[in-house]
Amino acid sequence: MSKVTLQPPRGTRDFFPEELRLRDWIFGHFRAVARQFGFEEIDAPVVEHEELFTRKAGEEIVDQLYHFELHGRRLALRPEITPSVARMVAARRGALKFPLRWFSLPQCWRYERMTRGRKREHYQWNMDIWGEPSVTAEAELIAAIFACFDRMGLAVDATRVRVNSRALLEETLCDSVLRGRPEAFTPLCVVIDKIDKIGADAVKDLLVEPQGAVRLDSAGADFVVDWLSLRDFDDAAKHAPNDSTAAAEVTRLFELLDAYGLSDRVIFDASIVRGLAYYTGIVFEGFDAGRSLRAICGGGRYNRLLETLGGPATPAVGFGFGDVVISELLADQGVLPDCGRELSAVVFPFGEAERAAAVRVARALRARDESVELVLGHPKLKRVLADADKSGARRLYLIGPDELARGEVLVRDLTSGEQTSEPIPD
Ligand code: HAM
């Protein structure tokens, strides 16, 4: 037999028990926060029709698809769940009660260039609100992100959410450098989202490229890049038309965040535009305060996605929050939990003669929902004690010939060393 490689494909992950315990701990917080905010859990297939994910705006995510053809069908592993959620909403639109509050924990696949915090497979907590046009929905979602940071044990000043509005930028540009060319706005967002990665000059080059979808002149490109450097909302609002609804929305969002006690933790940042084409309004990303890591989470409003799938216009807003960057941040901040194994008891029969009695003891404990390891084979007592200690068991149940004769099991408390006897159950 030829040897197979023992490593999983690059960028994918095996979860050994200790890693799966940490994953469960993270998922537990995701689920608990979603429930605190009244969201219901959904899921969708990992494999979808490829066309659900292919869009023409030049997004990285489309080039990173794991896709294949099977029996004449073009299929893809999901790089994100948002299009699947939109498909599900469209499929049941008449029967659903809006606003919908749905959350999910999909495994997502992207053929990425690997860097710190970037893998080819990750789990992504999503919370989405469908059918609510006002920024009250954005405020709830941002509050949920902070609720998660807080319950994971991160310090209040360890993270920030940065907020911008694509609608504000759209109003500003369609009134100036993109006048008469609104269709160039979406590809422009995809280009400027790269500014952190490739720098301002490279972004300008892409914005003025004669064969590109944006085709600004150089003064236009300068204006856009200057706008992205704004960190004061009033400065950004000055460039927008006087009656800007987008500016009013941002103002309202900050008022609401104040009511949640979050105004100090949320910053206006014009450089946040998001790399996905479907966003239409407020956009936001969560970062560690020192910005040593990539975005922990990101989302925004996407009011037109359902229409692009052939459904009716339906307002929607949501975010995705991966398991990879948050794990790095928890480790950097020294608050990674110690996720030990949870085992209540080890039951040890000295020999085969005592096994039936040991089985009865284990059954009785398991019936009380305790987690019980019944020792298999016949290791020495010394090894059983050492293993029980390592596995974090709280009690050891021993049955030797003397105990069996008395109809009792010896119970040793592994923390205090105290020993008692209990009757062997019938
Ligand atoms: P996204 O910004 O592409 O948005 O991903 C959201 C989060 O998922 C990122 O901030 C990051 O934590 C994590 N993530 C993404 N790609 C990777 C990767 N290759 N490795 C590790 N973690 C990753 C979306 O996917 C949107 N669909 C979110 C959304 C939901 N918008 C509205 N609703």
Side-chain angles (χ1 to χ4, degrees), residues 13 61 64 79-83 108-113 115 117-129 141 274-276 278-279 284-286 294-302 316-326:
R13 293 176 287 171
I61 200 169
Q64 295 168 338
E80 54 163 343
I81 201 173
T82 313
C108 299
W109 295 85
R110 301 182 187 183
Y111 197 82
E112 296 260 9
R113 255 201 42 201
T115 53
R118 271 275 171 249
K119 300 205 176 286
R120 294 190 174 151
E121 168 243 315
H122 72 283
Y123 287 88
Q124 195 191 88
W125 174 39
N126 279 246
M127 282 181 69
D128 290 271
I129 299 179
L141 294 172
R274 310 274 298 133
L276 298 166
Y278 49 65
Y279 293 111
F284 50 89
E285 284 181 343
R294 39 170 316 113
I296 308 166
C297 57
R301 185 163 281 281
Y302 52 101
V317 55
F319 68 78
F321 183 135
D323 64 332
V324 181
V325 184
I326 191 69

Short mmCIF file of all heavy atoms in Angstrom, two decimals, residues 13 61 64 79-83 108-113 115 117-129 141 274-276 278-279 284-286 294-302 316-326, ligand 1:
data_model
loop_
_atom_site.label_atom_id
_atom_site.label_comp_id
_atom_site.label_asym_id
_atom_site.label_seq_id
_atom_site.Cartn_x
_atom_site.Cartn_y
_atom_site.Cartn_z
N ARG A 13 -7.67 22.07 8.83
CA ARG A 13 -7.29 21.75 10.21
C ARG A 13 -7.84 20.42 10.69
O ARG A 13 -9.01 20.13 10.49
CB ARG A 13 -7.82 22.85 11.14
CG ARG A 13 -7.16 24.17 10.93
CD ARG A 13 -7.77 25.24 11.79
NE ARG A 13 -9.08 25.64 11.33
CZ ARG A 13 -9.89 26.43 12.02
NH1 ARG A 13 -9.53 26.86 13.20
NH2 ARG A 13 -11.04 26.78 11.52
N ILE A 61 -12.96 36.88 -3.07
CA ILE A 61 -13.66 35.68 -2.61
C ILE A 61 -14.10 34.79 -3.79
O ILE A 61 -14.12 33.57 -3.67
CB ILE A 61 -14.85 36.09 -1.70
CG1 ILE A 61 -15.29 34.94 -0.81
CG2 ILE A 61 -15.98 36.64 -2.48
CD1 ILE A 61 -16.27 35.36 0.29
N GLN A 64 -11.27 32.77 -5.05
CA GLN A 64 -10.77 31.80 -4.06
C GLN A 64 -11.70 30.59 -3.90
O GLN A 64 -11.52 29.79 -2.99
CB GLN A 64 -10.63 32.49 -2.70
CG GLN A 64 -9.58 33.58 -2.69
CD GLN A 64 -9.65 34.43 -1.44
OE1 GLN A 64 -10.68 34.50 -0.78
NE2 GLN A 64 -8.56 35.07 -1.10
N PRO A 79 -17.72 29.75 0.46
CA PRO A 79 -16.67 30.58 1.04
C PRO A 79 -17.23 31.43 2.17
O PRO A 79 -16.50 32.01 2.96
CB PRO A 79 -16.23 31.47 -0.12
CG PRO A 79 -17.44 31.57 -0.99
CD PRO A 79 -18.25 30.32 -0.81
N GLU A 80 -18.55 31.53 2.24
CA GLU A 80 -19.29 32.32 3.25
C GLU A 80 -20.72 31.80 3.21
O GLU A 80 -21.09 31.09 2.27
CB GLU A 80 -19.27 33.81 2.89
CG GLU A 80 -19.79 34.08 1.47
CD GLU A 80 -20.18 35.52 1.19
OE1 GLU A 80 -20.36 36.28 2.15
OE2 GLU A 80 -20.36 35.86 0.02
N ILE A 81 -21.52 32.15 4.20
CA ILE A 81 -22.88 31.60 4.21
C ILE A 81 -23.93 32.61 3.75
O ILE A 81 -25.07 32.24 3.45
CB ILE A 81 -23.25 31.00 5.59
CG1 ILE A 81 -24.41 30.00 5.42
CG2 ILE A 81 -23.57 32.08 6.61
CD1 ILE A 81 -24.78 29.21 6.64
N THR A 82 -23.56 33.88 3.64
CA THR A 82 -24.57 34.92 3.37
C THR A 82 -25.42 34.63 2.11
O THR A 82 -26.65 34.73 2.18
CB THR A 82 -23.91 36.31 3.31
OG1 THR A 82 -23.04 36.42 4.44
CG2 THR A 82 -24.93 37.41 3.36
N PRO A 83 -24.81 34.24 0.97
CA PRO A 83 -25.66 33.94 -0.18
C PRO A 83 -26.61 32.76 0.07
O PRO A 83 -27.75 32.76 -0.43
CB PRO A 83 -24.65 33.60 -1.29
CG PRO A 83 -23.40 34.33 -0.88
CD PRO A 83 -23.38 34.21 0.62
N CYS A 108 -16.38 27.43 6.46
CA CYS A 108 -16.26 28.11 5.16
C CYS A 108 -14.91 27.78 4.52
O CYS A 108 -13.93 27.56 5.23
CB CYS A 108 -16.36 29.62 5.34
SG CYS A 108 -17.94 30.13 6.03
N TRP A 109 -14.88 27.79 3.21
CA TRP A 109 -13.70 27.38 2.45
C TRP A 109 -13.27 28.48 1.49
O TRP A 109 -14.07 28.92 0.67
CB TRP A 109 -14.03 26.11 1.65
CG TRP A 109 -14.30 24.96 2.56
CD1 TRP A 109 -15.49 24.65 3.16
CD2 TRP A 109 -13.34 24.02 3.01
NE1 TRP A 109 -15.32 23.56 3.96
CE2 TRP A 109 -14.01 23.14 3.88
CE3 TRP A 109 -11.98 23.82 2.76
CZ2 TRP A 109 -13.37 22.09 4.51
CZ3 TRP A 109 -11.35 22.76 3.37
CH2 TRP A 109 -12.05 21.91 4.25
N ARG A 110 -12.02 28.92 1.62
CA ARG A 110 -11.49 29.93 0.68
C ARG A 110 -10.06 29.55 0.36
O ARG A 110 -9.26 29.35 1.28
CB ARG A 110 -11.49 31.33 1.30
CG ARG A 110 -12.86 31.79 1.72
CD ARG A 110 -12.82 33.21 2.28
NE ARG A 110 -14.13 33.55 2.82
CZ ARG A 110 -14.46 34.72 3.34
NH1 ARG A 110 -13.57 35.68 3.39
NH2 ARG A 110 -15.67 34.93 3.80
N TYR A 111 -9.73 29.49 -0.93
CA TYR A 111 -8.35 29.16 -1.28
C TYR A 111 -7.52 30.43 -1.16
O TYR A 111 -7.28 31.15 -2.11
CB TYR A 111 -8.27 28.55 -2.69
CG TYR A 111 -6.96 27.84 -2.90
CD1 TYR A 111 -6.78 26.55 -2.44
CD2 TYR A 111 -5.89 28.48 -3.51
CE1 TYR A 111 -5.57 25.91 -2.57
CE2 TYR A 111 -4.67 27.84 -3.66
CZ TYR A 111 -4.53 26.55 -3.18
OH TYR A 111 -3.31 25.92 -3.31
N GLU A 112 -7.08 30.72 0.07
CA GLU A 112 -6.41 31.97 0.41
C GLU A 112 -4.91 31.82 0.31
O GLU A 112 -4.38 30.72 0.47
CB GLU A 112 -6.65 32.28 1.91
CG GLU A 112 -8.05 32.53 2.29
CD GLU A 112 -8.33 34.00 2.43
OE1 GLU A 112 -7.47 34.82 2.05
OE2 GLU A 112 -9.43 34.33 2.90
N ARG A 113 -4.21 32.94 0.19
CA ARG A 113 -2.77 32.95 0.48
C ARG A 113 -2.67 33.00 1.98
O ARG A 113 -3.22 33.88 2.62
CB ARG A 113 -2.14 34.20 -0.13
CG ARG A 113 -1.35 33.85 -1.39
CD ARG A 113 -0.38 34.92 -1.67
NE ARG A 113 0.27 35.35 -0.41
CZ ARG A 113 0.87 36.51 -0.25
NH1 ARG A 113 0.89 37.35 -1.22
NH2 ARG A 113 1.43 36.84 0.90
N THR A 115 -1.73 33.63 5.68
CA THR A 115 -0.98 34.54 6.55
C THR A 115 -1.51 34.32 7.96
O THR A 115 -2.41 33.51 8.15
CB THR A 115 -1.22 36.01 6.15
OG1 THR A 115 -2.63 36.23 6.11
CG2 THR A 115 -0.62 36.36 4.81
N GLY A 117 -3.73 34.32 10.92
CA GLY A 117 -5.16 34.56 11.03
C GLY A 117 -5.95 34.20 9.79
O GLY A 117 -7.16 34.33 9.75
N ARG A 118 -5.27 33.76 8.74
CA ARG A 118 -5.93 33.39 7.49
C ARG A 118 -5.70 31.92 7.21
O ARG A 118 -4.55 31.49 7.09
CB ARG A 118 -5.31 34.16 6.31
CG ARG A 118 -5.95 35.46 6.06
CD ARG A 118 -7.16 35.30 5.18
NE ARG A 118 -7.90 36.52 5.11
CZ ARG A 118 -9.11 36.70 5.64
NH1 ARG A 118 -9.70 35.75 6.29
NH2 ARG A 118 -9.73 37.84 5.50
N LYS A 119 -6.76 31.15 7.13
CA LYS A 119 -6.62 29.75 6.77
C LYS A 119 -7.49 29.47 5.55
O LYS A 119 -8.19 30.36 5.08
CB LYS A 119 -7.04 28.87 7.94
CG LYS A 119 -6.19 29.12 9.17
CD LYS A 119 -6.17 27.92 10.07
CE LYS A 119 -5.26 28.13 11.25
NZ LYS A 119 -3.85 28.06 10.91
N ARG A 120 -7.41 28.27 5.05
CA ARG A 120 -8.25 27.96 3.88
C ARG A 120 -9.59 27.41 4.31
O ARG A 120 -10.49 27.25 3.50
CB ARG A 120 -7.50 27.00 2.96
CG ARG A 120 -6.30 27.71 2.39
CD ARG A 120 -5.60 26.99 1.28
NE ARG A 120 -4.57 27.87 0.77
CZ ARG A 120 -3.44 27.47 0.22
NH1 ARG A 120 -3.22 26.18 0.05
NH2 ARG A 120 -2.56 28.34 -0.21
N GLU A 121 -9.68 27.08 5.59
CA GLU A 121 -10.93 26.57 6.13
C GLU A 121 -11.11 27.25 7.48
O GLU A 121 -10.18 27.30 8.27
CB GLU A 121 -10.78 25.06 6.29
CG GLU A 121 -11.82 24.36 7.07
CD GLU A 121 -11.21 23.72 8.31
OE1 GLU A 121 -10.15 23.10 8.23
OE2 GLU A 121 -11.81 23.87 9.38
N HIS A 122 -12.25 27.84 7.71
CA HIS A 122 -12.50 28.44 9.03
C HIS A 122 -13.98 28.31 9.36
O HIS A 122 -14.81 28.07 8.48
CB HIS A 122 -12.06 29.90 9.07
CG HIS A 122 -12.94 30.85 8.31
ND1 HIS A 122 -12.92 30.97 6.93
CD2 HIS A 122 -13.89 31.73 8.73
CE1 HIS A 122 -13.80 31.88 6.55
NE2 HIS A 122 -14.42 32.35 7.61
N TYR A 123 -14.26 28.44 10.64
CA TYR A 123 -15.66 28.49 11.07
C TYR A 123 -16.02 29.94 11.29
O TYR A 123 -15.19 30.71 11.79
CB TYR A 123 -15.86 27.69 12.36
CG TYR A 123 -15.81 26.21 12.10
CD1 TYR A 123 -14.60 25.53 12.14
CD2 TYR A 123 -16.97 25.49 11.79
CE1 TYR A 123 -14.54 24.17 11.88
CE2 TYR A 123 -16.91 24.13 11.53
CZ TYR A 123 -15.70 23.49 11.58
OH TYR A 123 -15.63 22.15 11.32
N GLN A 124 -17.22 30.30 10.90
CA GLN A 124 -17.59 31.72 10.95
C GLN A 124 -18.97 31.89 11.57
O GLN A 124 -19.97 31.46 11.00
CB GLN A 124 -17.57 32.28 9.52
CG GLN A 124 -17.57 33.77 9.47
CD GLN A 124 -17.81 34.27 8.05
OE1 GLN A 124 -18.96 34.46 7.65
NE2 GLN A 124 -16.76 34.48 7.29
N TRP A 125 -18.98 32.49 12.75
CA TRP A 125 -20.27 32.81 13.40
C TRP A 125 -20.92 33.94 12.62
O TRP A 125 -20.30 34.97 12.38
CB TRP A 125 -19.97 33.25 14.83
CG TRP A 125 -21.12 33.75 15.63
CD1 TRP A 125 -22.38 33.27 15.64
CD2 TRP A 125 -21.09 34.83 16.58
NE1 TRP A 125 -23.15 33.98 16.54
CE2 TRP A 125 -22.37 34.94 17.12
CE3 TRP A 125 -20.09 35.71 17.02
CZ2 TRP A 125 -22.70 35.90 18.09
CZ3 TRP A 125 -20.40 36.66 17.98
CH2 TRP A 125 -21.70 36.74 18.50
N ASN A 126 -22.14 33.72 12.20
CA ASN A 126 -22.89 34.76 11.47
C ASN A 126 -24.14 35.12 12.24
O ASN A 126 -24.83 34.24 12.75
CB ASN A 126 -23.33 34.25 10.09
CG ASN A 126 -22.24 34.32 9.06
OD1 ASN A 126 -22.32 35.07 8.10
ND2 ASN A 126 -21.18 33.55 9.26
N MET A 127 -24.42 36.42 12.33
CA MET A 127 -25.71 36.87 12.85
C MET A 127 -26.28 37.82 11.81
O MET A 127 -25.58 38.75 11.37
CB MET A 127 -25.55 37.60 14.19
CG MET A 127 -25.35 36.64 15.36
SD MET A 127 -25.17 37.46 16.97
CE MET A 127 -26.79 38.10 17.28
N ASP A 128 -27.50 37.57 11.37
CA ASP A 128 -28.11 38.40 10.33
C ASP A 128 -29.53 38.76 10.71
O ASP A 128 -30.26 37.94 11.27
CB ASP A 128 -28.10 37.66 8.99
CG ASP A 128 -26.70 37.52 8.43
OD1 ASP A 128 -26.26 38.43 7.70
OD2 ASP A 128 -26.02 36.52 8.76
N ILE A 129 -29.91 40.00 10.38
CA ILE A 129 -31.29 40.45 10.60
C ILE A 129 -31.86 40.81 9.23
O ILE A 129 -31.27 41.59 8.49
CB ILE A 129 -31.33 41.69 11.53
CG1 ILE A 129 -30.74 41.34 12.90
CG2 ILE A 129 -32.77 42.21 11.67
CD1 ILE A 129 -30.71 42.49 13.90
N LEU A 141 -26.54 44.31 16.35
CA LEU A 141 -25.46 43.41 15.92
C LEU A 141 -24.11 43.82 16.51
O LEU A 141 -23.34 42.97 16.97
CB LEU A 141 -25.39 43.38 14.38
CG LEU A 141 -26.61 42.76 13.71
CD1 LEU A 141 -26.55 42.95 12.20
CD2 LEU A 141 -26.72 41.27 14.02
N ARG A 274 -15.11 47.19 3.24
CA ARG A 274 -15.41 45.77 3.07
C ARG A 274 -15.16 45.32 1.63
O ARG A 274 -15.40 46.05 0.68
CB ARG A 274 -16.86 45.43 3.47
CG ARG A 274 -17.25 45.95 4.81
CD ARG A 274 -16.89 45.05 5.94
NE ARG A 274 -17.54 43.76 5.86
CZ ARG A 274 -16.89 42.60 6.02
NH1 ARG A 274 -15.59 42.58 6.25
NH2 ARG A 274 -17.53 41.47 5.96
N GLY A 275 -14.68 44.09 1.50
CA GLY A 275 -14.27 43.58 0.19
C GLY A 275 -15.38 42.88 -0.59
O GLY A 275 -15.17 42.47 -1.72
N LEU A 276 -16.54 42.74 0.03
CA LEU A 276 -17.62 42.02 -0.67
C LEU A 276 -18.53 43.03 -1.37
O LEU A 276 -18.81 44.10 -0.83
CB LEU A 276 -18.42 41.18 0.33
CG LEU A 276 -17.58 40.10 1.02
CD1 LEU A 276 -18.30 39.52 2.23
CD2 LEU A 276 -17.21 38.99 0.04
N TYR A 278 -21.67 43.08 -2.16
CA TYR A 278 -23.11 43.26 -1.91
C TYR A 278 -23.48 44.30 -0.85
O TYR A 278 -24.64 44.60 -0.66
CB TYR A 278 -23.79 41.93 -1.60
CG TYR A 278 -23.14 41.04 -0.56
CD1 TYR A 278 -23.05 41.43 0.78
CD2 TYR A 278 -22.64 39.78 -0.91
CE1 TYR A 278 -22.47 40.60 1.73
CE2 TYR A 278 -22.06 38.94 0.04
CZ TYR A 278 -21.98 39.34 1.35
OH TYR A 278 -21.41 38.53 2.29
N TYR A 279 -22.50 44.85 -0.13
CA TYR A 279 -22.87 45.81 0.92
C TYR A 279 -23.39 47.12 0.33
O TYR A 279 -22.89 47.60 -0.69
CB TYR A 279 -21.69 46.09 1.85
CG TYR A 279 -21.29 44.88 2.66
CD1 TYR A 279 -20.10 44.22 2.43
CD2 TYR A 279 -22.14 44.39 3.65
CE1 TYR A 279 -19.75 43.10 3.17
CE2 TYR A 279 -21.80 43.27 4.39
CZ TYR A 279 -20.60 42.63 4.14
OH TYR A 279 -20.25 41.52 4.87
N PHE A 284 -18.97 47.60 8.96
CA PHE A 284 -18.16 47.67 10.20
C PHE A 284 -17.23 46.47 10.30
O PHE A 284 -17.50 45.41 9.71
CB PHE A 284 -19.07 47.75 11.44
CG PHE A 284 -20.15 46.70 11.47
CD1 PHE A 284 -19.93 45.45 12.05
CD2 PHE A 284 -21.40 46.96 10.93
CE1 PHE A 284 -20.92 44.48 12.08
CE2 PHE A 284 -22.41 45.99 10.96
CZ PHE A 284 -22.17 44.75 11.53
N GLU A 285 -16.15 46.67 11.03
CA GLU A 285 -15.21 45.57 11.29
C GLU A 285 -14.71 45.69 12.72
O GLU A 285 -14.52 46.79 13.23
CB GLU A 285 -14.02 45.63 10.32
CG GLU A 285 -14.41 45.12 8.94
CD GLU A 285 -13.30 45.10 7.90
OE1 GLU A 285 -12.27 45.76 8.08
OE2 GLU A 285 -13.49 44.42 6.89
N GLY A 286 -14.47 44.54 13.35
CA GLY A 286 -13.92 44.52 14.70
C GLY A 286 -12.43 44.22 14.63
O GLY A 286 -12.00 43.36 13.86
N ARG A 294 -5.38 40.89 11.80
CA ARG A 294 -6.37 41.29 10.80
C ARG A 294 -7.74 41.37 11.47
O ARG A 294 -7.86 41.12 12.67
CB ARG A 294 -6.35 40.32 9.62
CG ARG A 294 -6.16 38.85 10.00
CD ARG A 294 -6.38 37.97 8.84
NE ARG A 294 -7.56 38.41 8.16
CZ ARG A 294 -7.58 38.95 6.95
NH1 ARG A 294 -6.48 39.07 6.28
NH2 ARG A 294 -8.72 39.34 6.42
N ALA A 295 -8.78 41.72 10.69
CA ALA A 295 -10.10 41.92 11.29
C ALA A 295 -10.59 40.65 11.98
O ALA A 295 -10.45 39.54 11.45
CB ALA A 295 -11.10 42.35 10.23
N ILE A 296 -11.15 40.83 13.16
CA ILE A 296 -11.70 39.70 13.91
C ILE A 296 -13.06 39.33 13.33
O ILE A 296 -13.46 38.17 13.28
CB ILE A 296 -11.90 40.07 15.40
CG1 ILE A 296 -10.63 40.65 16.01
CG2 ILE A 296 -12.40 38.87 16.20
CD1 ILE A 296 -10.87 41.35 17.35
N CYS A 297 -13.78 40.35 12.90
CA CYS A 297 -15.13 40.12 12.37
C CYS A 297 -15.48 41.30 11.46
O CYS A 297 -14.83 42.34 11.51
CB CYS A 297 -16.14 40.03 13.52
SG CYS A 297 -16.15 41.49 14.59
N GLY A 298 -16.50 41.10 10.64
CA GLY A 298 -16.90 42.19 9.75
C GLY A 298 -18.28 41.96 9.20
O GLY A 298 -18.75 40.82 9.10
N GLY A 299 -18.94 43.06 8.87
CA GLY A 299 -20.28 42.91 8.31
C GLY A 299 -20.83 44.23 7.83
O GLY A 299 -20.09 45.21 7.70
N GLY A 300 -22.12 44.25 7.63
CA GLY A 300 -22.75 45.48 7.16
C GLY A 300 -24.11 45.20 6.55
O GLY A 300 -24.62 44.07 6.60
N ARG A 301 -24.64 46.27 5.99
CA ARG A 301 -25.98 46.19 5.41
C ARG A 301 -25.89 45.79 3.94
O ARG A 301 -24.99 46.26 3.22
CB ARG A 301 -26.67 47.56 5.57
CG ARG A 301 -28.10 47.57 5.11
CD ARG A 301 -28.85 48.76 5.64
NE ARG A 301 -29.27 48.57 7.02
CZ ARG A 301 -30.35 47.84 7.39
NH1 ARG A 301 -31.10 47.22 6.48
NH2 ARG A 301 -30.67 47.74 8.67
N TYR A 302 -26.77 44.89 3.54
CA TYR A 302 -26.76 44.42 2.14
C TYR A 302 -28.19 44.32 1.62
O TYR A 302 -28.70 43.25 1.40
CB TYR A 302 -25.99 43.09 2.02
CG TYR A 302 -26.42 42.00 2.97
CD1 TYR A 302 -27.25 40.96 2.54
CD2 TYR A 302 -26.00 41.98 4.29
CE1 TYR A 302 -27.64 39.95 3.39
CE2 TYR A 302 -26.40 40.98 5.15
CZ TYR A 302 -27.22 39.97 4.69
OH TYR A 302 -27.62 38.98 5.55
N ALA A 316 -31.44 43.89 4.69
CA ALA A 316 -30.74 42.87 5.49
C ALA A 316 -29.43 43.44 6.00
O ALA A 316 -28.83 44.31 5.36
CB ALA A 316 -30.45 41.65 4.62
N VAL A 317 -29.02 42.97 7.16
CA VAL A 317 -27.74 43.39 7.73
C VAL A 317 -27.21 42.24 8.59
O VAL A 317 -27.99 41.51 9.20
CB VAL A 317 -27.88 44.71 8.52
CG1 VAL A 317 -28.94 44.64 9.59
CG2 VAL A 317 -26.57 45.16 9.14
N GLY A 318 -25.89 42.09 8.59
CA GLY A 318 -25.34 40.99 9.39
C GLY A 318 -23.83 41.10 9.48
O GLY A 318 -23.22 42.01 8.94
N PHE A 319 -23.25 40.11 10.20
CA PHE A 319 -21.78 40.07 10.28
C PHE A 319 -21.30 38.63 10.31
O PHE A 319 -22.07 37.70 10.62
CB PHE A 319 -21.26 40.83 11.51
CG PHE A 319 -21.59 40.18 12.84
CD1 PHE A 319 -20.89 39.07 13.31
CD2 PHE A 319 -22.63 40.66 13.63
CE1 PHE A 319 -21.20 38.47 14.53
CE2 PHE A 319 -22.94 40.08 14.85
CZ PHE A 319 -22.23 38.98 15.29
N GLY A 320 -20.03 38.47 10.00
CA GLY A 320 -19.35 37.18 10.13
C GLY A 320 -18.18 37.36 11.09
O GLY A 320 -17.50 38.39 11.06
N PHE A 321 -17.94 36.35 11.95
CA PHE A 321 -16.94 36.45 13.02
C PHE A 321 -16.25 35.08 13.05
O PHE A 321 -16.87 34.09 13.43
CB PHE A 321 -17.71 36.76 14.31
CG PHE A 321 -16.94 37.00 15.57
CD1 PHE A 321 -17.27 38.07 16.40
CD2 PHE A 321 -15.91 36.17 15.98
CE1 PHE A 321 -16.61 38.30 17.60
CE2 PHE A 321 -15.23 36.40 17.16
CZ PHE A 321 -15.58 37.46 17.98
N GLY A 322 -14.99 35.06 12.59
CA GLY A 322 -14.32 33.77 12.44
C GLY A 322 -13.73 33.25 13.74
O GLY A 322 -13.57 33.99 14.70
N ASP A 323 -13.40 31.97 13.74
CA ASP A 323 -12.82 31.37 14.96
C ASP A 323 -11.30 31.51 15.01
O ASP A 323 -10.70 31.28 16.06
CB ASP A 323 -13.20 29.88 15.06
CG ASP A 323 -12.62 29.05 13.91
OD1 ASP A 323 -12.40 29.60 12.82
OD2 ASP A 323 -12.38 27.85 14.11
N VAL A 324 -10.66 31.93 13.90
CA VAL A 324 -9.19 31.89 13.85
C VAL A 324 -8.57 33.12 14.50
O VAL A 324 -7.74 33.01 15.40
CB VAL A 324 -8.70 31.75 12.38
CG1 VAL A 324 -7.18 31.68 12.34
CG2 VAL A 324 -9.30 30.51 11.73
N VAL A 325 -8.99 34.31 14.06
CA VAL A 325 -8.36 35.54 14.57
C VAL A 325 -8.66 35.70 16.06
O VAL A 325 -7.79 36.08 16.84
CB VAL A 325 -8.83 36.78 13.77
CG1 VAL A 325 -8.10 38.03 14.24
CG2 VAL A 325 -8.59 36.58 12.28
N ILE A 326 -9.87 35.38 16.47
CA ILE A 326 -10.21 35.53 17.89
C ILE A 326 -9.33 34.61 18.75
O ILE A 326 -8.90 35.00 19.83
CB ILE A 326 -11.73 35.33 18.16
CG1 ILE A 326 -12.10 35.75 19.58
CG2 ILE A 326 -12.19 33.90 17.92
CD1 ILE A 326 -12.03 37.22 19.85
P1 HAM B 1 -15.73 38.40 5.70
O1 HAM B 1 -15.19 39.71 6.14
O2 HAM B 1 -15.24 37.86 4.42
O3 HAM B 1 -17.32 38.56 5.67
O4 HAM B 1 -15.48 37.34 6.83
C1 HAM B 1 -15.90 37.58 8.15
C2 HAM B 1 -14.86 37.10 9.15
O5 HAM B 1 -14.57 35.74 8.91
C3 HAM B 1 -13.51 37.79 9.05
O6 HAM B 1 -13.49 39.00 9.76
C4 HAM B 1 -12.61 36.75 9.70
O7 HAM B 1 -12.78 36.72 11.11
C5 HAM B 1 -13.22 35.45 9.21
N1 HAM B 1 -12.52 34.95 8.02
C6 HAM B 1 -12.78 35.21 6.73
N2 HAM B 1 -11.93 34.56 5.93
C7 HAM B 1 -11.10 33.85 6.74
C8 HAM B 1 -9.99 32.97 6.52
N3 HAM B 1 -9.56 32.67 5.30
N4 HAM B 1 -9.37 32.44 7.59
C9 HAM B 1 -9.79 32.73 8.84
N5 HAM B 1 -10.84 33.54 9.11
C10 HAM B 1 -11.48 34.10 8.08
C11 HAM B 1 -18.17 37.60 5.25
O8 HAM B 1 -17.86 36.47 4.98
C12 HAM B 1 -19.62 38.05 5.23
N6 HAM B 1 -20.41 37.00 4.59
C13 HAM B 1 -20.08 38.38 6.62
C14 HAM B 1 -21.52 38.82 6.66
C15 HAM B 1 -22.57 38.13 7.19
N7 HAM B 1 -21.99 39.94 6.14
C16 HAM B 1 -23.30 39.99 6.33
N8 HAM B 1 -23.66 38.89 6.97
#
